[in-house]
Amino acid sequence: MAAAAVADRTDEIRASVYELVTELARTPPAVELAVAGGATERRALEAVSRTAAVVEKAYVAVALALLAAAILLWKLSLPTIDPNRMTDLGLVSILPPAFYLSLVLLCTGFAWQVAYRRVNSVLPYLYLVALIFILHATPPILYQTLRYSWAWKHLGIVDYIQRHGTVDPAASFLSAYHNWPGLFVVTAWIADLFDARPIDLASVLQFTPVALNIALLAVFLWLLESFTEDKRLLLTAGWFFVAANWIGQDYFSPQGITFLLYLVLLGLFLGPLRQNRSNVARRHPRLLKSLGPAAFSVGLKSKEVGQLPCALFAALAMVTILAIVVTHQLTPLVVILSAIMLVMLGWIAPSYLVFALVAETLWLLWGAAPFVYSQLQSQIASFWELSEATSKFANLALVSPDRAWVVWVGRVFSTMIVLVALYGGLRRLKRGYWDLTAAALVLSPAPLLAAAYGGESVFRVYLFSLPFLAFFTAAAFFPAPQCGRSAFVFPILGAACILSAVGLLFANDGKDREYRFTPDEVAASEWLYSTAPPGSLLIEGARSYPSQFMNYENFSYLPISEESEGTKERIASDPEGVLGRWMRDPRWKDAYVILTRSQKAYLEAGGYMRRGDFERIENALLVSPRFIVVHATPNVKVFTLLKPKQGLAETPSARRD
């Protein structure tokens, strides 16, 4: 009788008594003891409840202790880390054992909770937030400056808007940002409210990866509630969504913001704005029944929304589409491709697809017309060329050995996510879940491979597919609510969590020797951009330094890293002569050479210059009687010509973008 009463109680009590008590305490179940002693049904049930309460408190205490220990170890490890000792392996090369132990505790605690179905409290969510902090707050805390050169360039657009009050769609420098200025206009408006300059914003925006990943995780979990009610699957997908997002678009960037808006839009489409029954289920019921229950045909739960809330959500969806269209070049195309899939499946009304098509067409023909007209021919010429879409792939024959390890980890990591996701999808299908919607959204960004997009198409396809790759990866562990033996899943999931977290450290932070900028590098750039007169030529070793974040339209830029191999060899053999001829060109009102530690890291790790050439150039200018150092710090040297400019000689076309 007592056992029958327990069976009617919640899964938590049953799990606490029959699983946790027997496996952790190694004692007979409390029910058996109570019945053997002749207890009444009520007293037996009370004994079970007390035991469950004790076990629950013990579980919470252990889970909190693991979380607290992980955070404490992480915090204690930070003061011991010296970024100046970083190698081409990036952040992982300087992390102490205590840091990795904190990750192990975090991964173990999370896997334990999920594997043993302890998912109805806030604790697993706290573990996910802690994962974001440990992985993404570590760089800004250690570096104390805004990471990554393009984040500084984005501040340059904000600075331009603050000074001019508008953008210049016909600009020849960073023109794409002037034609898709949504993020920068809003940021400039907020900065003006607080009377903040871009250099002031940098100290806040360096924590953008933390804030953006928390927002992405929250929206992702909300989106996935339309696909599953199994919280084990939901939380595990959340972990892999965070840990496998190594593409690095979570900094202050239009792509980072529009990726978040894209997930919000999908959440609206598959949530409150979704039609109740799929066209596929209606038109092909026999096919679905042969594969599994029709209710599971696309893995979406039934939802009912009133007319007024639906209208408000529809308005929000259209505002979101407009925000994406005016902020980023690529994301609107992904919105259209995903909307086509959802319309074909019958989940959303075609009007949303039409609205997205019209908005994107109007913006391309009006708001971004100058950029579109200037780039149209080159984009058409590179269409369908996979070599163009993958041109940003690192050449392993040129990079340093440590950088080759970073590249290989990123590639293997991504491949494993895709393969495990495929396995998870097959496990779901075997158990009657035909996740057509999730599969369609994995594949919907694939046509972007036909576009070059600066050689980054492959990376962006992975990024937009990741939410649903994470869903299927989690399904490899929990394909159905009744599946997943705790004792078997726990060690495997724990190992997968640890490997994915370390994989992110390699793939996402493996270039931090060049992405990290010291305070004196920032100060030197600020000095140069505020001191050099408009019309000056700025010769850079490479663009990997805090560049173009203020007054940037006033200068022409010539990065040595982008010159031909022959030109770089001539510069290395005769820096004084070659650079001097360039700087004496009468087109420039003044000319400067800026050489930084981060530029050197970029050139050597990426194989863009032979090791030793950077020091050779710097030392030659230091001893040259024709050059003078106008700004010097331990990590930066800024040179200009000592003698007046004279004559005209061969000079490459300086770049203004």
Side-chain angles (χ1 to χ4, degrees):
M1 292 176 62
V6 173
D8 293 333
R9 298 294 297 268
T10 63
D11 288 340
E12 287 190 10
I13 296 178
R14 292 164 55 198
S16 299
V17 175
Y18 291 106
E19 191 167 69
L20 290 177
V21 172
T22 55
E23 294 188 19
L24 299 180
R26 300 299 180 184
T27 61
V31 176
E32 294 181 8
L33 289 177
V35 174
T40 64
E41 176 186 342
R42 180 179 60 80
R43 290 182 180 177
L45 188 56
E46 289 176 355
V48 170
S49 298
R50 286 195 299 270
T51 303
V54 171
V55 173
E56 180 67 22
K57 290 180 181 179
Y59 155 75
V60 172
V62 172
L64 284 174
L66 285 173
L67 179 60
I71 295 174
L72 180 61
L73 278 172
W74 169 64
K75 185 176 180 181
L76 292 176
S77 70
L78 294 178
T80 68
I81 303 173
D82 181 8
N84 293 318
R85 297 175 54 248
M86 193 182 304
T87 70
D88 288 345
L89 285 175
L91 189 60
V92 296
S93 65
I94 57 173
L95 295 177
F99 183 95
Y100 291 107
L101 181 57
S102 72
L103 273 182
V104 170
L105 292 178
L106 192 73
C107 297
T108 302
F110 178 82
W112 174 47
Q113 293 173 87
V114 175
Y116 284 92
R117 300 177 182 268
R118 313 301 298 188
V119 293
N120 292 321
S121 69
V122 72
L123 279 172
Y125 298 92
L126 294 179
Y127 272 77
L128 288 173
V129 173
L131 175 69
I132 291 173
F133 269 91
I134 291 177
L135 293 178
H136 294 289
T138 298
I141 291 174
L142 293 178
Y143 307 159
Q144 299 181 351
T145 59
L146 184 62
R147 173 180 175 271
Y148 193 42
S149 177
W150 281 99
W152 289 93
K153 292 177 175 63
H154 294 164
L155 285 178
I157 306 298
V158 176
D159 172 72
Y160 185 98
I161 296 172
Q162 285 185 295
R163 288 184 289 108
H164 296 278
T166 185
V167 293
D168 180 13
S172 59
F173 39 88
L174 299 179
S175 55
Y177 297 135
H178 286 267
N179 285 268
W180 283 271
L183 172 64
F184 309 117
V185 170
V186 173
T187 305
W189 176 72
I190 295 174
D192 287 339
L193 287 179
F194 293 94
D195 194 26
R197 301 180 305 153
I199 193 67
D200 302 319
L201 295 176
S203 60
V204 177
L205 294 177
Q206 63 181 318
F207 289 96
T208 299
V210 178
L212 188 54
N213 274 283
I214 290 175
L216 285 168
L217 174 64
V219 176
F220 172 75
L221 294 176
W222 168 62
L223 167 61
L224 243 61
E225 287 180 353
S226 297
F227 290 81
T228 181
E229 293 180 344
D230 188 348
K231 286 191 176 181
R232 300 175 306 157
L233 176 57
L234 186 73
L235 289 165
T236 306
W239 181 283
F240 288 115
F241 176 67
V242 171
N245 187 7
W246 63 269
I247 298 301
Q249 293 299 315
D250 51 5
Y251 67 106
F252 174 65
S253 65
Q255 177 66 96
I257 297 300
T258 54
F259 182 50
L260 175 64
L261 295 178
Y262 170 69
L263 293 185
V264 170
L265 190 62
L266 289 183
L268 293 172
F269 283 165
L270 298 176
L273 297 180
R274 194 184 77 228
Q275 298 180 144
N276 287 330
R277 187 169 173 80
S278 165
N279 283 347
V280 175
R282 184 169 58 252
R283 295 175 182 174
H284 307 287
R286 291 184 179 178
L287 173 61
L288 296 183
K289 287 180 180 179
S290 67
L291 292 171
F296 298 151
S297 61
V298 283
L300 299 182
K301 301 184 298 182
S302 177
K303 292 188 178 181
E304 294 289 343
V305 180
Q307 289 186 351
L308 180 58
C310 186
L312 295 176
F313 285 125
L316 178 59
M318 289 186 284
V319 170
T320 303
I321 291 172
L322 291 176
I324 292 173
V325 165
V326 303
T327 301
H328 196 236
Q329 310 99 289
L330 199 66
T331 309
L333 302 181
V334 183
V335 169
I336 291 171
L337 292 170
S338 299
I340 290 174
M341 291 291 191
L342 296 179
V343 168
M344 292 174 61
L345 290 170
W347 287 130
I348 63 172
S351 55
Y352 296 108
L353 173 59
V354 173
F355 182 83
L357 285 168
V358 171
E360 173 68 358
T361 302
L362 289 177
W363 187 256
L364 291 176
L365 296 178
W366 174 64
F371 181 87
V372 173
Y373 295 153
S374 65
Q375 298 291 320
L376 186 61
Q377 184 174 356
S378 62
Q379 289 297 317
I380 292 176
S382 62
F383 207 68
W384 289 114
E385 291 187 15
L386 186 59
S387 60
E388 292 291 333
T390 60
S391 61
K392 282 294 180 71
F393 274 23
N395 187 340
L396 296 178
L398 299 178
V399 301
S400 67
D402 283 349
R403 177 57 54 81
W405 272 103
V406 171
V407 173
W408 274 116
V409 169
R411 294 178 181 179
V412 172
F413 188 19
S414 303
T415 302
M416 291 304 299
I417 288 292
V418 173
L419 293 178
V420 176
L422 179 60
Y423 173 68
L426 294 175
R427 290 199 72 187
R428 289 274 292 178
L429 182 60
K430 182 179 178 181
R431 283 157 181 81
Y433 293 86
W434 199 44
D435 296 298
L436 181 58
T437 303
L441 292 173
V442 167
L443 298 174
S444 60
L448 295 181
L449 293 173
Y453 198 68
E456 295 187 8
S457 293
V458 171
F459 303 104
R460 302 305 171 92
V461 168
Y462 174 82
L463 176 67
F464 285 108
S465 298
L466 180 59
F468 305 99
L469 287 174
F471 170 75
F472 285 119
T473 300
F477 299 91
F478 306 109
Q482 69 276 14
C483 295
R485 292 176 54 193
S486 300
F488 178 74
V489 170
F490 170 46
I492 298 177
L493 179 59
C497 289
I498 293 171
L499 290 174
S500 62
V502 175
L504 180 76
L505 290 173
F506 271 95
N508 187 68
D509 302 315
K511 296 182 179 180
D512 275 15
R513 184 167 168 251
E514 65 195 56
Y515 286 172
R516 166 220 170 206
F517 307 127
T518 58
D520 64 324
E521 288 178 290
V522 175
S525 295
E526 184 180 12
W527 175 87
L528 179 61
Y529 289 123
S530 59
T531 302
S536 294
L537 171 69
L538 305 183
I539 299 177
E540 312 156 325
R543 287 178 170 172
S544 186
Y545 74 105
S547 63
Q548 303 182 11
F549 65 89
M550 58 183 295
N551 302 322
Y552 80 95
E553 77 279 8
N554 293 337
F555 313 116
S556 296
Y557 305 89
L558 202 163
I560 296 174
S561 61
E562 298 188 14
E563 294 300 315
S564 67
E565 292 301 318
T567 301
K568 284 188 283 189
E569 290 179 4
R570 288 197 297 272
I571 295 173
S573 61
D574 183 18
E576 180 183 6
V578 177
L579 299 182
R581 288 194 297 271
W582 291 357
M583 296 170 72
R584 286 192 298 270
D585 190 321
R587 286 181 295 173
W588 320 125
K589 190 170 184 179
D590 207 343
Y592 300 83
V593 178
I594 177 169
L595 303 177
T596 73
R597 177 207 58 81
S598 55
Q599 293 176 7
K600 176 185 175 183
Y602 171 84
L603 290 167
E604 293 185 349
Y608 302 107
M609 185 174 284
R610 295 172 302 186
R611 287 191 176 272
D613 282 356
F614 188 90
E615 291 95 335
R616 190 175 296 110
I617 294 171
E618 184 178 51
N619 293 333
L621 298 185
L622 283 171
V623 301
S624 171
R626 300 168 58 189
F627 283 82
I628 183 173
V629 179
V630 292
H631 189 95
T633 68
N635 294 296
V636 185
K637 300 293 186 295
V638 181
F639 302 88
T640 191
L641 285 174
L642 182 61
K643 295 181 180 180
K645 295 181 291 184
Q646 57 185 9
L648 175 63
E650 58 168 332
T651 181
S653 300
R655 300 164 182 82
R656 296 176 59 87
D657 57 10

